[in-house]
Amino acid sequence: MAKSKTLKVRQTGSPIRRNDKQRQTLIGLGLNKVGRVRELEDTPSVRGMINKISHMVEIVEE
């Protein structure tokens, strides 16, 4: 079984005063508090979500 690639994503910005789509994208990624880190599968849809809120998240190097 091949190991799928993953990304570690940390939330760096607050969703306060952001539009609802950006808030929902954070929730979709499993992030809702500043400083929270999630390990997500590296798929085109996850990359697109990260790209939409790139000003509020960062990819953590392992």
Side-chain angles (χ1 to χ4, degrees):
M1 187 169 245
K3 182 181 175 190
S4 61
K5 281 194 74 137
T6 59
L7 297 169
K8 278 194 174 181
V9 181
R10 177 184 296 131
Q11 183 177 346
T12 59
S14 172
I16 295 172
R17 295 174 59 179
R18 304 285 183 187
N19 67 29
D20 194 45
K21 285 187 179 184
Q22 291 178 354
R23 289 175 191 247
Q24 293 302 317
T25 302
L26 276 174
I27 292 169
L29 289 173
L31 302 168
N32 61 355
K33 292 185 179 179
V34 176
R36 185 160 289 177
V37 178
R38 286 288 313 249
E39 193 165 333
L40 304 166
E41 191 175 342
D42 188 8
T43 62
S45 61
V46 170
R47 288 269 182 175
M49 292 170 79
I50 291 170
N51 191 33
K52 289 273 189 187
I53 56 168
S54 62
H55 55 283
M56 288 194 287
V57 296
E58 67 180 5
I59 296 178
V60 179
E61 298 297 324
E62 294 182 19

